[in-house]
Amino acid sequence: MNENLWSIAVDAPLQQALTYKSTESVAHRGASVTVPLGRRKARGVVLGPVENHQSEFELKFIEAVDDERPKLPDEFMKWLEWLASYYLYPVGQVFSGAFPPLAKHSRIKKTRQVVPQLPFSQPPELTDEQKNALNQIQQYDGFQAHLVHGVTGSGKTEIYMHAIAEALKTGKTALVLVPEISLTPQLVQRFAARFPDQVSVIHSHLTEREKTNQWWNVVDQKTPILIGARSALFCPIENLGIVVVDEEHEPSFKQDEKLKYHARDAAIVRAKLANCPILLGSATPSLESWHNAQIGKYNLISLKSRVANRKLPQVVTVDLKEKKDQAKAEEHEIQDRPFWLTEELETSLVATMKKGEQAAVFLNRRGVAQMAVCKSCGHTYECPNCAISLTLHGASHMVCHYCDYSEPLTDKCPACESSDIETIGLGTEQIENDLAKMFPFKVVARADRDEITKRSDLEALIEDMEKGDIDILVGTQMIAKGLDFPKLTLVGLALADIGMNLPDFRAAERSFQLLTQVAGRAGRHQEDGGQVVIQTFNPEHVGLKASITADYEGFAKLELEERQALNYPPFGKLALVKLQAKSMNKAEKLAEIVKRRAQQLKDKDEKYQSIQILGPCPAPLVKIRNTYRYQMLLKAAVDGKLHAFCFQFLGDPKKWAPSGTKVQIDIDPLSML
Ligand code: ADP
Ligand code: ZN
Ligand code: ZN
């Protein structure tokens, strides 16, 4: 060991840490430093002394130790190191994410209040289910994951707050992660009123100054509680006593670019390193978490009843196939009604408007806008190898996004020979326009990713809904998450099928989650629970049926059996190799090279025999921002050494990938688009 040589995670796209010299003994693990890198200077964090260094290069000196940045706690460093190695991402770039965007400020300038100051509000008397949940949590010492499974309104947030209060009593701190979209003023207010002056908040819609100030509040130990979206994990909280991940099933916890981490999984590792409990809460747990609870890895806490004993909404399914047959039999076309609207939903909308109540119409269009469906029998096109639906490319090319299987879209339905095959490309904007025409004296507003780009847009929309300034809200699923509008009594789902047929083995799970969430928006404050109308070509779909009967366990059982048969997570592991190039030709060449590298390693090494290499094939979104994309999916059993395989066959892509191309790896991918 040489005391003058230090391993440093330098903020640059380098897989490994670099070694630097230091004359004085100022360097220490966790210290922030500035180092020369090529002709520039770069920031970095000292990982530790170098054991034995061999290099043909002359080593450079650490230029300066950055005193303003706090020394990162060891346990937090270990977490960052885990992230870099697990997600195969440059260690220095992982570390650079652990600091605020701006320098610490003397805070002369007044900024907008991020966390409201509210008088303390007393907690309610806990229900028996809540008491039982807290008892269970207290029975464990140190690290333990608890899956808190309870319908919305069952009092999960109240459980989190009590468990946090317990942790605070022992002088510990707490980290609460929620999906960005759920980080509404209402949620923050609730915590701020229970824990006055003890809460900091970090999310992506704060200004850089606000973010920096909140970060320092936590690091200077001014507030023991941090609530935030997934990025809050990167705040070096010390003395962590509890971690909460609310809506743990939410796909938005996975970051799809750069460091492709899953905040729930990373939070579990964080809690493990801090040796503290973690609560994962959801009304519709991810099948990964549910499976972990079934095999006893997580402690399962079930909340079966609602706090105020309110009813669930009444759900009606309208079969769009039958509607079509009827229209044909009566030999007339639907005239005044827009093509996507059934009589049932129209009647309900009219009645709701007459009563002066609010309605919402959702259309789930995530990512893929087009699919083909036989309008006579509801047949959709599935891949014979993967049991997922095919996506229509161009006019008539049906492709599987997993294994590159393809077939032409035929003129006649393969199931019923009808030639009534339609591609569906309905959008929320169309719905908004149609409804505005139908209800000229009502206010119709739209909320989707085109309309709601800023947090302030969402907040304004929430306010307008709460005040009753909007009569009909049209939106994508983004507005279905975690929002609670007191006057909303009718929810319509224009076409439930689009989400069900995403080219993804998680499509049924997502549909179930979405439908449950959507249904849960209606009548939350009415005795009768409100009404939900679901229009669909597949009324028999498992996700849909389960969500109507709120049968999570039955659904999970069936779905897990299917996953097991096909070796999908949580029974198998996946890694997605993403390939990018500036031309299709280059992308194809890169794909060949990557395939060869993977295949050679598999053939060479006995321990990788069970790894399946699927593709490469063009990505579903083959061209984005002038970049051509290919992808290769790797599938293995849980102990199939997939991680080591990826590490080994990828090596340092910069050394073998042709210029103008890019190779990225997504471990445990959630989205294949
Ligand atoms: P969840 O997080 O499961 O959706 P919440 O914790 O938000 O549930 O509880 C739903 C509503 O019930 C909230 O308005 C909350 O204040 C209230 N609530 C929660 N627990 C109790 C309780 N023990 N007694 C009375 N009201 C409660
Ligand atoms: Zn058919
Ligand atoms: Zn396939």
Side-chain angles (χ1 to χ4, degrees):
M1 193 150 89
N2 189 330
E3 272 179 43
N4 293 328
L5 295 185
W6 297 89
S7 169
I8 295 177
V10 181
D11 185 5
L14 305 161
Q15 291 301 333
Q16 256 76 45
L18 298 179
T19 300
Y20 285 87
K21 286 195 283 194
S22 172
T23 41
E24 312 123 77
S25 53
V26 282
H28 53 270
R29 177 168 162 87
S32 282
V33 293
T34 306
V35 294
L37 182 71
R39 255 174 269 160
R40 68 179 177 101
K41 283 174 193 172
R43 298 183 99 157
V45 175
V46 179
L47 297 180
V50 172
E51 308 261 321
N52 46 50
H53 181 81
Q54 302 142 342
S55 165
E56 61 269 41
F57 300 114
E58 168 88 36
L59 290 177
K60 291 185 177 159
F61 280 99
I62 293 173
E63 247 177 49
V65 174
D66 185 342
D67 290 326
E68 188 196 285
R69 288 187 164 180
K71 172 180 183 281
L72 296 179
D74 182 60
E75 143 207 323
F76 181 70
M77 300 259 303
K78 284 194 178 120
W79 179 73
L80 294 173
E81 287 164 329
W82 173 82
L83 280 176
S85 78
Y86 185 78
Y87 292 107
L88 299 169
Y89 200 75
V91 65
Q93 290 182 328
V94 173
F95 271 76
S96 73
F99 297 99
L102 301 178
K104 195 173 185 177
H105 203 274
S106 48
R107 251 178 280 180
I108 317 158
K109 229 169 54 191
K110 259 254 177 256
T111 54
R112 178 173 64 121
Q113 209 170 42
V114 173
V115 181
Q117 277 180 314
L118 297 168
F120 175 68
S121 86
Q122 283 289 344
E125 178 74 28
L126 293 181
T127 64
D128 286 346
E129 280 192 326
Q130 287 170 325
K131 280 185 201 153
N132 170 43
L134 285 158
N135 275 339
Q136 284 192 48
I137 294 163
Q138 253 116 57
Q139 269 163 27
Y140 293 84
D141 244 351
F143 169 74
Q144 174 63 40
H146 302 271
L147 179 59
V148 186
H149 175 218
V151 290
T152 29
S154 58
K156 294 188 291 295
T157 311
E158 200 53 53
I159 293 170
Y160 308 153
M161 292 198 289
H162 271 79
I164 289 168
E166 288 300 317
L168 263 50
K169 270 190 212 155
T170 65
K172 302 257 179 160
T173 60
L175 172 62
V176 181
L177 297 182
V178 300
E180 183 83 44
I181 201 80
S182 308
L183 208 52
T184 55
Q186 292 97 316
L187 180 108
V188 175
Q189 276 164 16
R190 230 170 128 187
F191 275 87
R194 183 66 55 82
F195 303 102
D197 301 317
Q198 294 185 294
V199 175
S200 291
V201 171
I202 289 181
H203 54 71
S204 68
H205 294 272
L206 296 180
T207 64
E208 294 197 326
R209 174 47 53 202
E210 287 166 344
K211 224 178 270 180
T212 305
N213 291 353
Q214 293 294 308
W215 190 92
W216 279 105
N217 279 347
V218 175
V219 170
D220 286 342
Q221 302 182 14
K222 291 196 171 125
T223 63
I225 301 172
L226 174 60
I227 306 176
R230 61 180 185 225
S231 65
L233 266 173
F234 286 82
C235 187
I237 303 186
E238 290 207 59
N239 205 12
L240 203 50
I242 187 167
V243 180
V244 173
V245 182
D246 193 27
E247 311 283 358
E248 67 84 28
H249 65 278
E250 261 298 311
S252 65
F253 277 126
K254 170 88 179 183
Q255 179 158 294
D256 273 332
E257 48 181 39
K258 294 183 181 157
L259 173 61
K260 298 172 186 61
Y261 70 104
H262 196 302
R264 177 198 59 225
D265 300 345
I268 290 167
V269 175
R270 185 94 157 80
K272 201 180 248 174
L273 289 166
N275 195 29
C276 74
I278 178 166
L279 311 184
L280 308 172
S282 177
T284 52
S286 65
L287 289 174
E288 283 83 353
S289 296
W290 184 252
H291 177 67
N292 280 329
Q294 295 300 306
I295 61 175
K297 211 166 146 191
Y298 297 173
N299 173 46
L300 179 63
I301 297 173
S302 296
L303 302 161
K304 305 234 189 262
S305 54
R306 287 194 156 176
V307 170
N309 268 330
R310 277 181 200 132
K311 277 192 206 152
L312 285 162
Q314 183 210 347
V315 185
V316 184
T317 334
V318 188
D319 187 346
L320 293 171
K321 291 194 307 267
E322 265 172 31
K323 292 286 141 192
K324 180 78 187 170
D325 292 344
Q326 252 175 40
K328 262 191 198 150
E330 292 162 19
E331 287 196 339
H332 73 257
E333 286 297 309
I334 308 151
Q335 278 142 13
D336 306 331
R337 230 182 296 131
F339 74 93
W340 55 268
L341 185 62
T342 59
E343 208 178 323
E344 283 84 348
L345 182 52
E346 183 186 33
T347 308
S348 297
L349 276 168
V350 169
T352 305
M353 291 302 104
K354 269 202 187 125
K355 283 188 274 182
E357 295 170 351
Q358 283 174 326
V361 179
F362 295 101
L363 177 72
N364 175 20
R365 274 202 324 162
R366 271 183 55 221
V368 180
Q370 281 205 308
M371 59 171 278
V373 59
C374 169
K375 294 194 86 178
S376 294
C377 74
H379 174 82
T380 53
Y381 294 75
E382 285 197 6
C383 171
N385 306 329
C386 307
I388 54 162
S389 57
L390 300 174
T391 303
L392 184 65
H393 285 240
S396 63
H397 195 49
M398 308 289 288
V399 184
C400 169
H401 290 160
Y402 278 76
C403 69
D404 210 22
Y405 167 86
S406 70
E407 64 182 46
L409 177 62
T410 46
D411 295 341
K412 290 211 167 98
C413 168
C416 76
E417 304 245 288
S418 154
S419 51
D420 205 1
I421 293 164
E422 198 137 320
T423 54
I424 294 164
L426 175 66
T428 44
E429 207 168 330
Q430 171 91 47
I431 295 182
E432 181 195 18
N433 293 341
D434 290 341
L435 288 175
K437 264 183 231 149
M438 287 175 66
F439 300 99
F441 303 109
K442 295 287 179 180
V443 180
V444 183
R446 177 161 56 94
D448 53 30
R449 273 182 201 133
D450 305 327
E451 278 294 293
I452 307 282
T453 52
K454 293 198 301 286
R455 184 165 196 88
S456 54
D457 295 339
L458 179 66
E459 284 170 10
L461 179 103
I462 292 170
E463 215 180 300
D464 289 347
M465 278 298 283
E466 281 176 344
K467 280 193 298 195
D469 289 353
I470 295 170
D471 300 302
I472 305 177
L473 183 63
V474 178
T476 51
Q477 64 192 53
M478 71 177 272
I479 53 169
K481 282 171 192 166
L483 297 181
D484 189 353
F485 302 123
K487 292 172 199 146
L488 182 65
T489 57
L490 170 68
V491 166
L493 211 62
L495 187 63
D497 305 69
I498 292 178
M500 291 172 189
N501 292 283
L502 272 174
D504 191 320
F505 69 90
R506 289 191 177 88
E509 181 182 5
R510 291 273 173 273
S511 306
F512 175 78
Q513 289 165 350
L514 176 69
L515 291 165
T516 306
Q517 276 167 353
V518 166
R521 296 313 107 198
R524 288 165 72 89
H525 294 255
Q526 281 77 34
E527 276 292 297
D528 67 358
Q531 200 197 357
V532 178
V533 180
I534 298 175
Q535 303 188 145
T536 178
F537 281 107
N538 292 293
E540 299 299 315
H541 184 273
V542 288
L544 195 155
K545 285 179 88 170
S547 69
I548 291 170
T549 53
D551 179 18
Y552 175 81
E553 294 189 22
F555 170 74
K557 189 167 178 293
L558 277 179
E559 193 60 21
L560 282 173
E561 277 164 15
E562 207 159 298
R563 298 260 180 109
Q564 186 155 30
L566 294 167
N567 212 16
Y568 277 129
F571 301 97
K573 266 192 90 69
L574 297 178
L576 188 68
V577 185
K578 299 178 161 188
L579 310 171
Q580 299 185 353
K582 287 290 166 205
S583 73
M584 198 59 185
N585 198 0
K586 271 194 172 174
E588 274 165 25
K589 286 220 176 81
L590 177 63
E592 276 166 34
I593 296 171
V594 169
K595 169 96 178 183
R596 205 181 317 127
R597 288 182 73 91
Q599 194 64 50
Q600 273 169 1
L601 178 60
K602 184 185 151 145
D603 294 344
K604 197 177 81 187
D605 200 325
E606 193 74 32
K607 69 174 178 284
Y608 297 136
Q609 281 325 294
S610 68
I611 289 173
Q612 273 176 278
I613 302 171
L614 304 172
C617 62
L621 304 171
V622 72
K623 185 181 175 189
I624 297 179
R625 285 174 234 109
N626 284 318
T627 301
Y628 291 81
R629 306 157 83 236
Y630 261 69
Q631 60 191 28
M632 181 171 81
L633 187 70
L634 303 170
K635 197 162 144 186
V638 167
D639 55 357
K641 313 270 186 297
L642 185 60
H643 193 266
F645 181 77
C646 291
F647 183 77
Q648 214 175 323
F649 100 83
L650 283 173
D652 184 357
K654 273 195 286 313
K655 294 197 176 123
W656 53 262
S659 68
T661 67
K662 203 162 150 189
V663 180
Q664 290 177 299
I665 179 93
D666 186 350
I667 304 286
D668 308 329
L670 270 195
S671 162
M672 315 283 167
L673 300 178

